[in-house]
Amino acid sequence: TVERAQYDYYKYHPMSEITSWMEQMVKDHPDVVTVVKYGKTYESRDISLLKIGLNTGKEKKAIWVDCGIHAREWIAPAFCQYFVREILQTYKTDAKMEEMMKNVDFYVTPVLNIDGYIYTWENETTRLWRKNRSPGPEDCACYGTDLNRNFDANWGTVGVSFDCCSNTYPGTKPASEPEAKAVTEFVGSRKDIFLCFLTIHSYGQLILVPYGHPNYTAPNYDELMMVGKGAAEAVWKVHGMNYTVGASPDVLYANSGSSRDWARMQGIPLTFTFELRDNGTYGFKLPEDQIQPTCEEAYSGALHIITYAHDK
Ligand code: ING
Ligand code: ZN
Protein backbone atom coordinates (compact mmCIF):
# COMPACT_ATOMS: atom_id res chain seq x y z
CA THR A 1 0.00 0.00 0.00
CA VAL A 2 1.02 3.57 -0.62
CA GLU A 3 2.02 5.47 2.50
CA ARG A 4 0.39 8.87 2.53
CA ALA A 5 1.64 11.65 4.79
CA GLN A 6 -0.91 12.21 7.54
CA TYR A 7 -2.79 15.49 7.49
CA ASP A 8 -1.74 17.56 10.48
CA TYR A 9 -4.91 18.84 12.14
CA TYR A 10 -2.87 20.73 14.70
CA LYS A 11 -1.25 23.12 12.26
CA TYR A 12 -2.75 26.01 10.29
CA HIS A 13 -3.05 25.27 6.58
CA PRO A 14 -3.02 27.52 3.53
CA MET A 15 -6.12 27.43 1.33
CA SER A 16 -4.54 25.17 -1.31
CA GLU A 17 -3.99 22.48 1.33
CA ILE A 18 -7.52 22.86 2.72
CA THR A 19 -8.94 22.42 -0.79
CA SER A 20 -6.86 19.25 -1.31
CA TRP A 21 -7.93 18.04 2.12
CA MET A 22 -11.59 18.42 1.12
CA GLU A 23 -10.99 16.31 -1.98
CA GLN A 24 -9.16 13.73 0.12
CA MET A 25 -12.12 13.49 2.51
CA VAL A 26 -14.32 12.52 -0.44
CA LYS A 27 -11.78 9.94 -1.64
CA ASP A 28 -11.44 8.44 1.83
CA HIS A 29 -15.20 8.32 2.53
CA PRO A 30 -16.91 8.26 -0.88
CA ASP A 31 -20.16 6.83 0.49
CA VAL A 32 -20.52 9.52 3.18
CA VAL A 33 -18.86 12.72 1.94
CA THR A 34 -19.48 14.91 -1.09
CA VAL A 35 -18.17 18.34 -2.04
CA VAL A 36 -20.84 20.86 -2.97
CA LYS A 37 -19.83 24.09 -4.71
CA TYR A 38 -22.39 26.74 -3.92
CA GLY A 39 -20.95 30.02 -5.05
CA LYS A 40 -17.91 32.01 -6.07
CA THR A 41 -15.93 34.58 -4.12
CA TYR A 42 -15.33 38.09 -5.39
CA GLU A 43 -12.04 36.86 -6.90
CA SER A 44 -13.91 33.96 -8.61
CA ARG A 45 -12.80 31.12 -6.37
CA ASP A 46 -15.28 28.29 -5.71
CA ILE A 47 -17.00 28.35 -2.33
CA SER A 48 -17.39 24.72 -1.27
CA LEU A 49 -18.82 22.74 1.60
CA LEU A 50 -18.56 19.12 2.62
CA LYS A 51 -21.92 17.38 2.85
CA ILE A 52 -21.54 14.52 5.29
CA GLY A 53 -24.12 11.90 6.16
CA LEU A 54 -25.20 8.30 5.72
CA ASN A 55 -27.34 7.62 2.71
CA THR A 56 -30.64 6.30 4.00
CA GLY A 57 -32.88 7.08 1.06
CA LYS A 58 -35.05 9.10 3.46
CA GLU A 59 -35.45 12.86 3.51
CA LYS A 60 -32.93 14.22 5.93
CA LYS A 61 -32.68 17.19 8.25
CA ALA A 62 -29.45 19.15 8.34
CA ILE A 63 -26.86 20.86 10.50
CA TRP A 64 -24.95 23.91 9.21
CA VAL A 65 -21.41 24.73 10.33
CA ASP A 66 -19.33 27.46 8.69
CA CYS A 67 -15.85 28.65 9.51
CA GLY A 68 -13.59 31.39 8.24
CA ILE A 69 -16.14 34.12 7.48
CA HIS A 70 -13.46 36.43 8.91
CA ALA A 71 -10.08 36.01 7.27
CA ARG A 72 -7.72 36.39 10.23
CA GLU A 73 -9.52 33.98 12.58
CA TRP A 74 -7.35 31.03 11.61
CA ILE A 75 -8.47 28.77 14.42
CA ALA A 76 -11.96 28.63 12.86
CA PRO A 77 -11.04 26.75 9.66
CA ALA A 78 -8.83 24.50 11.81
CA PHE A 79 -11.92 23.73 13.89
CA CYS A 80 -14.07 22.87 10.87
CA GLN A 81 -11.45 20.40 9.68
CA TYR A 82 -11.17 18.84 13.14
CA PHE A 83 -14.98 18.67 13.34
CA VAL A 84 -15.18 16.77 10.05
CA ARG A 85 -12.48 14.34 11.11
CA GLU A 86 -14.17 13.70 14.45
CA ILE A 87 -17.62 12.93 13.09
CA LEU A 88 -16.12 10.68 10.40
CA GLN A 89 -14.06 8.83 13.00
CA THR A 90 -16.71 8.47 15.69
CA TYR A 91 -19.81 7.39 13.77
CA LYS A 92 -18.36 3.92 13.19
CA THR A 93 -18.02 3.15 16.89
CA ASP A 94 -20.37 5.61 18.60
CA ALA A 95 -24.04 4.63 18.36
CA LYS A 96 -25.31 8.18 18.93
CA MET A 97 -23.15 9.64 16.18
CA GLU A 98 -24.20 6.83 13.85
CA GLU A 99 -27.85 7.63 14.59
CA MET A 100 -27.26 11.31 13.83
CA MET A 101 -25.37 10.49 10.65
CA LYS A 102 -28.44 8.53 9.55
CA ASN A 103 -30.94 11.27 10.37
CA VAL A 104 -29.10 14.42 9.38
CA ASP A 105 -26.59 15.70 6.86
CA PHE A 106 -23.81 17.93 8.10
CA TYR A 107 -23.05 20.87 5.78
CA VAL A 108 -19.58 22.12 6.71
CA THR A 109 -17.92 25.09 5.01
CA PRO A 110 -14.26 25.10 6.16
CA VAL A 111 -13.48 28.56 4.75
CA LEU A 112 -16.24 30.93 3.63
CA ASN A 113 -14.09 34.04 3.07
CA ILE A 114 -11.53 32.33 0.85
CA ASP A 115 -10.11 35.49 -0.78
CA GLY A 116 -9.57 37.07 2.61
CA TYR A 117 -8.04 33.91 4.06
CA ILE A 118 -5.54 33.67 1.20
CA TYR A 119 -4.70 37.37 1.69
CA THR A 120 -3.85 36.77 5.37
CA TRP A 121 -1.37 34.12 4.26
CA GLU A 122 0.45 36.53 1.92
CA ASN A 123 2.69 38.26 4.44
CA GLU A 124 2.91 39.59 7.98
CA THR A 125 1.41 42.97 7.03
CA THR A 126 -1.82 41.39 5.78
CA ARG A 127 -2.08 38.70 8.49
CA LEU A 128 -4.82 40.57 10.40
CA TRP A 129 -7.17 41.21 7.47
CA ARG A 130 -10.82 40.56 8.47
CA LYS A 131 -13.10 41.44 5.55
CA ASN A 132 -13.54 39.98 2.09
CA ARG A 133 -11.55 41.40 -0.85
CA SER A 134 -14.10 43.22 -2.97
CA PRO A 135 -13.19 46.81 -3.83
CA GLY A 136 -15.18 49.54 -2.09
CA PRO A 137 -17.56 51.90 -3.89
CA GLU A 138 -16.14 54.25 -6.52
CA ASP A 139 -15.33 57.09 -4.16
CA CYS A 140 -13.41 54.86 -1.76
CA ALA A 141 -9.84 53.62 -1.98
CA CYS A 142 -10.28 50.77 0.53
CA TYR A 143 -11.10 47.12 -0.01
CA GLY A 144 -13.39 44.75 1.75
CA THR A 145 -16.82 44.32 3.28
CA ASP A 146 -17.39 42.75 6.69
CA LEU A 147 -19.28 39.63 5.66
CA ASN A 148 -20.69 39.30 9.18
CA ARG A 149 -22.42 42.66 8.74
CA ASN A 150 -23.61 42.02 5.19
CA PHE A 151 -26.54 39.65 5.80
CA ASP A 152 -30.17 40.71 5.55
CA ALA A 153 -30.83 41.02 9.29
CA ASN A 154 -31.50 44.61 10.37
CA TRP A 155 -28.76 45.38 7.87
CA GLY A 156 -26.78 48.58 8.38
CA THR A 157 -28.43 49.64 11.65
CA VAL A 158 -26.10 49.01 14.62
CA GLY A 159 -22.47 48.00 15.12
CA VAL A 160 -21.43 49.03 11.61
CA SER A 161 -19.52 51.85 9.98
CA PHE A 162 -20.32 53.15 6.51
CA ASP A 163 -16.71 54.27 6.14
CA CYS A 164 -15.65 51.65 3.60
CA CYS A 165 -12.19 51.54 5.17
CA SER A 166 -13.71 50.35 8.44
CA ASN A 167 -13.49 46.74 9.58
CA THR A 168 -17.26 46.75 10.14
CA TYR A 169 -18.26 48.18 6.75
CA PRO A 170 -21.54 46.37 5.92
CA GLY A 171 -21.39 46.75 2.13
CA THR A 172 -23.76 48.65 -0.15
CA LYS A 173 -26.89 46.58 0.53
CA PRO A 174 -27.89 43.27 2.19
CA ALA A 175 -26.00 40.34 0.63
CA SER A 176 -24.16 42.67 -1.75
CA GLU A 177 -21.15 40.37 -1.39
CA PRO A 178 -20.95 37.09 -3.32
CA GLU A 179 -19.86 35.16 -0.21
CA ALA A 180 -22.88 36.31 1.84
CA LYS A 181 -25.13 35.81 -1.19
CA ALA A 182 -23.92 32.21 -1.58
CA VAL A 183 -24.89 31.33 2.01
CA THR A 184 -28.16 33.27 1.70
CA GLU A 185 -29.15 31.36 -1.42
CA PHE A 186 -27.94 27.92 -0.36
CA VAL A 187 -29.44 27.99 3.14
CA GLY A 188 -32.41 30.17 2.21
CA SER A 189 -33.58 27.77 -0.48
CA ARG A 190 -33.55 24.83 1.99
CA LYS A 191 -34.23 26.59 5.27
CA ASP A 192 -36.83 24.05 6.39
CA ILE A 193 -34.27 21.24 6.62
CA PHE A 194 -31.85 23.05 8.94
CA LEU A 195 -32.24 22.23 12.63
CA CYS A 196 -29.21 24.20 13.66
CA PHE A 197 -26.81 26.83 12.29
CA LEU A 198 -23.35 27.27 13.86
CA THR A 199 -20.94 29.94 12.66
CA ILE A 200 -17.41 29.77 14.03
CA HIS A 201 -15.22 32.80 14.85
CA SER A 202 -12.42 33.82 17.16
CA TYR A 203 -11.60 35.18 19.59
CA GLY A 204 -13.21 35.85 22.99
CA GLN A 205 -14.49 32.50 24.31
CA LEU A 206 -18.15 33.26 23.78
CA ILE A 207 -21.26 31.44 22.67
CA LEU A 208 -23.55 34.07 21.20
CA VAL A 209 -27.28 33.70 20.63
CA PRO A 210 -29.51 35.88 18.45
CA TYR A 211 -30.17 38.73 18.20
CA GLY A 212 -27.28 41.17 17.81
CA HIS A 213 -29.75 44.06 17.65
CA PRO A 214 -30.65 45.37 21.13
CA ASN A 215 -34.34 45.96 20.23
CA TYR A 216 -35.11 42.36 19.29
CA THR A 217 -35.22 39.14 21.26
CA ALA A 218 -35.48 35.70 19.69
CA PRO A 219 -38.86 34.02 20.32
CA ASN A 220 -37.03 31.03 21.81
CA TYR A 221 -34.43 33.11 23.68
CA ASP A 222 -34.84 31.01 26.85
CA GLU A 223 -34.27 27.81 24.92
CA LEU A 224 -31.24 29.30 23.14
CA MET A 225 -29.74 30.40 26.46
CA MET A 226 -30.40 27.04 28.07
CA VAL A 227 -28.77 25.13 25.18
CA GLY A 228 -25.92 27.65 24.97
CA LYS A 229 -25.20 27.30 28.68
CA GLY A 230 -25.23 23.54 28.32
CA ALA A 231 -22.68 23.91 25.52
CA ALA A 232 -20.49 26.19 27.65
CA GLU A 233 -20.57 23.61 30.43
CA ALA A 234 -19.58 20.89 27.96
CA VAL A 235 -16.68 23.12 26.82
CA TRP A 236 -15.60 23.74 30.41
CA LYS A 237 -15.51 20.03 31.22
CA VAL A 238 -12.83 19.35 28.60
CA HIS A 239 -10.03 21.76 29.62
CA GLY A 240 -11.65 24.04 32.18
CA MET A 241 -11.97 27.01 29.83
CA ASN A 242 -14.76 29.51 30.54
CA TYR A 243 -17.04 30.50 27.67
CA THR A 244 -19.60 33.27 28.25
CA VAL A 245 -23.11 32.79 26.82
CA GLY A 246 -25.45 35.57 25.73
CA ALA A 247 -26.76 37.87 23.03
CA SER A 248 -24.01 40.17 21.72
CA PRO A 249 -25.54 43.43 23.10
CA ASP A 250 -25.46 41.86 26.57
CA VAL A 251 -22.02 40.28 26.25
CA LEU A 252 -20.01 42.87 24.28
CA TYR A 253 -21.62 45.19 21.77
CA ALA A 254 -24.62 45.23 19.45
CA ASN A 255 -24.29 44.33 15.81
CA SER A 256 -26.46 43.87 12.74
CA GLY A 257 -26.27 41.90 9.52
CA SER A 258 -24.72 38.77 11.04
CA SER A 259 -25.27 35.38 9.45
CA ARG A 260 -26.47 34.00 12.81
CA ASP A 261 -29.25 36.60 13.08
CA TRP A 262 -30.18 36.11 9.44
CA ALA A 263 -30.44 32.35 9.90
CA ARG A 264 -32.66 32.75 12.98
CA MET A 265 -34.88 35.20 11.10
CA GLN A 266 -35.23 32.58 8.36
CA GLY A 267 -36.82 30.29 10.93
CA ILE A 268 -33.85 28.08 11.82
CA PRO A 269 -34.51 27.58 15.52
CA LEU A 270 -31.02 27.05 16.95
CA THR A 271 -28.43 29.52 15.67
CA PHE A 272 -25.21 30.31 17.52
CA THR A 273 -21.91 32.09 17.01
CA PHE A 274 -18.89 30.48 18.64
CA GLU A 275 -15.97 32.74 19.52
CA LEU A 276 -13.13 30.31 20.13
CA ARG A 277 -9.94 30.89 22.17
CA ASP A 278 -8.37 32.88 23.48
CA ASN A 279 -9.27 35.92 25.61
CA GLY A 280 -6.76 38.25 23.98
CA THR A 281 -3.33 37.04 25.07
CA TYR A 282 -2.58 35.95 21.50
CA GLY A 283 -5.91 36.90 19.95
CA PHE A 284 -6.13 36.03 16.25
CA LYS A 285 -2.56 34.70 16.31
CA LEU A 286 -3.42 31.76 18.53
CA PRO A 287 -0.30 29.53 18.75
CA GLU A 288 -0.51 26.18 17.01
CA ASP A 289 -0.05 24.33 20.29
CA GLN A 290 -3.52 25.55 21.28
CA ILE A 291 -5.26 24.20 18.18
CA GLN A 292 -5.83 20.75 19.67
CA PRO A 293 -7.28 21.79 23.05
CA THR A 294 -9.35 24.56 21.45
CA CYS A 295 -10.85 22.14 18.92
CA GLU A 296 -11.44 19.45 21.54
CA GLU A 297 -13.43 21.70 23.83
CA ALA A 298 -15.32 23.47 21.03
CA TYR A 299 -16.23 20.13 19.50
CA SER A 300 -17.75 19.10 22.80
CA GLY A 301 -19.76 22.34 22.95
CA ALA A 302 -20.90 22.08 19.34
CA LEU A 303 -21.90 18.46 19.82
CA HIS A 304 -24.04 19.41 22.80
CA ILE A 305 -26.03 21.79 20.59
CA ILE A 306 -26.20 19.41 17.64
CA THR A 307 -27.38 16.53 19.84
CA TYR A 308 -30.09 18.72 21.36
CA ALA A 309 -31.21 19.85 17.90
CA HIS A 310 -31.28 16.27 16.65
CA ASP A 311 -33.16 14.83 19.63
CA LYS A 312 -35.72 17.62 19.91
N1 ING B 1 -16.91 38.70 16.38
C1 ING B 1 -18.15 38.77 15.70
C2 ING B 1 -18.26 40.00 14.87
O1 ING B 1 -18.83 39.88 13.80
C3 ING B 1 -19.59 39.50 17.65
C4 ING B 1 -19.34 38.54 16.55
C5 ING B 1 -20.45 40.55 17.44
C6 ING B 1 -19.02 39.33 18.87
C7 ING B 1 -20.74 41.42 18.45
C8 ING B 1 -19.29 40.17 19.90
C9 ING B 1 -20.15 41.23 19.68
O2 ING B 1 -17.78 41.06 15.24
C10 ING B 1 -15.77 38.46 15.72
N2 ING B 1 -14.68 38.17 16.45
O3 ING B 1 -15.73 38.46 14.53
ZN1 ZN C 1 -15.19 36.91 13.38
Side-chain angles (χ1 to χ4, degrees), residues 69-70 145-160 170 174-175 180 184 211-213 254-263 265:
I69 193 172
H70 287 141
T145 290
D146 182 351
L147 296 175
N148 209 31
R149 300 290 181 279
N150 190 238
F151 284 75
D152 192 6
N154 301 301
W155 179 86
T157 55
V158 290
V160 297
T184 298
Y211 288 111
H213 196 292
N255 72 339
S256 57
S258 72
S259 66
R260 174 207 61 235
D261 282 6
W262 173 81
M265 289 166 77

Side-chain angles (χ1 to χ4, degrees), residues 211-231:
Y211 288 111
H213 196 292
N215 297 1
Y216 303 97
T217 303
N220 62 335
Y221 174 82
D222 292 345
E223 179 189 36
L224 287 159
M225 286 300 288
M226 184 217 24
V227 178
K229 282 177 179 165

Side-chain angles (χ1 to χ4, degrees), residues 279-294:
N279 264 324
T281 306
Y282 297 102
F284 303 112
K285 296 182 173 180
L286 190 72
E288 286 183 324
D289 64 12
Q290 289 197 48
I291 296 176
Q292 181 171 3
T294 303

Side-chain angles (χ1 to χ4, degrees), residues 69-70 72-73 130 148 200-203 273 275 284:
I69 193 172
H70 287 141
R72 62 192 175 188
E73 301 167 7
R130 165 179 165 99
N148 209 31
I200 313 299
H201 290 251
S202 74
Y203 57 93
T273 306
E275 297 280 352
F284 303 112

